[in-house]
């Protein structure tokens, strides 16, 4: 599947999902023109895209196409918050990660 076909398929599926989950009393529907691709990539026969819509509901969507199985998986997420984390000038903490057997993997 080429990248353009994949992105259009994603937009169609996100549009359908959104319309099926909108409050029916609002009597509002979106079109694929209201769905936008934030990021996408293709690796070998697989594709992945992150999408959102013009609906201000905080939702975003991750579409993953498995080229071996010829199927797409869609994850629907809700953005809860956005906050800043500043880098401190303190000495970074030092931890040692170990595997199941107690062997050192890396130091943080």
């Amino acid at each position: 599947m080429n990248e353009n076909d994949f992105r259009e398929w994603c937009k169609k599926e996100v549009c359908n999902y959104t319309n099926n989950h909108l409050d029916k009393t609002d009597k509002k529907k979106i079109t694929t023109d209201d769905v936008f691709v934030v990021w996408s990539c293709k690796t070998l026969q697989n594709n992945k895209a992150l999408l959102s819509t013009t609906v201000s509901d905080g939702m975003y969507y991750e579409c993953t196409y498995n080229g071996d199985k010829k199927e797409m998986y869609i994850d629907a997420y809700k953005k809860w918050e956005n906050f800043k984390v500043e880098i401190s000038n303190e000495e970074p903490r030092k931890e040692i990660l170990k595997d199941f057997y107690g062997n050192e993997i890396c130091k943080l």
Side-chain angles (χ1 to χ4, degrees), residues 11-24 28-31 34-35 52-55 57 59 61:
K11 289 173 70 172
K12 182 178 120 255
E13 295 301 328
V14 168
C15 179
N16 290 339
Y17 178 90
T18 302
N19 284 331
N20 288 332
H21 289 84
L22 287 173
D23 187 337
K24 305 296 184 229
K28 180 179 183 344
K29 295 280 184 188
I30 66 168
T31 68
D34 298 304
V35 180
S52 193
T53 70
T54 57
V55 177
D57 58 1
M59 293 293 294
Y61 306 88

Side-chain angles (χ1 to χ4, degrees), residues 50-68:
L50 300 178
L51 302 96
S52 193
T53 70
T54 57
V55 177
S56 60
D57 58 1
M59 293 293 294
Y60 68 99
Y61 306 88
E62 179 181 320
C63 299
T64 304
Y65 177 69
N66 181 331
D68 291 333

Side-chain angles (χ1 to χ4, degrees), residues 60-108:
Y60 68 99
Y61 306 88
E62 179 181 320
C63 299
T64 304
Y65 177 69
N66 181 331
D68 291 333
K69 294 184 177 182
K70 307 259 188 281
E71 55 192 22
M72 180 166 61
Y73 317 104
I74 301 176
D75 294 313
Y77 297 98
K78 176 86 170 178
K79 179 179 174 180
W80 289 105
E81 67 182 300
N82 178 292
F83 59 93
K84 174 175 72 172
V85 178
E86 293 189 25
I87 298 173
S88 76
N89 291 330
E90 297 175 14
E91 181 71 22
R93 66 176 199 232
K94 294 188 170 125
E95 295 180 35
I96 298 173
L97 295 180
K98 295 185 178 183
D99 65 14
F100 179 76
Y101 302 103
N103 300 316
E104 185 177 306
I105 298 172
C106 66
K107 293 180 183 176
L108 297 177

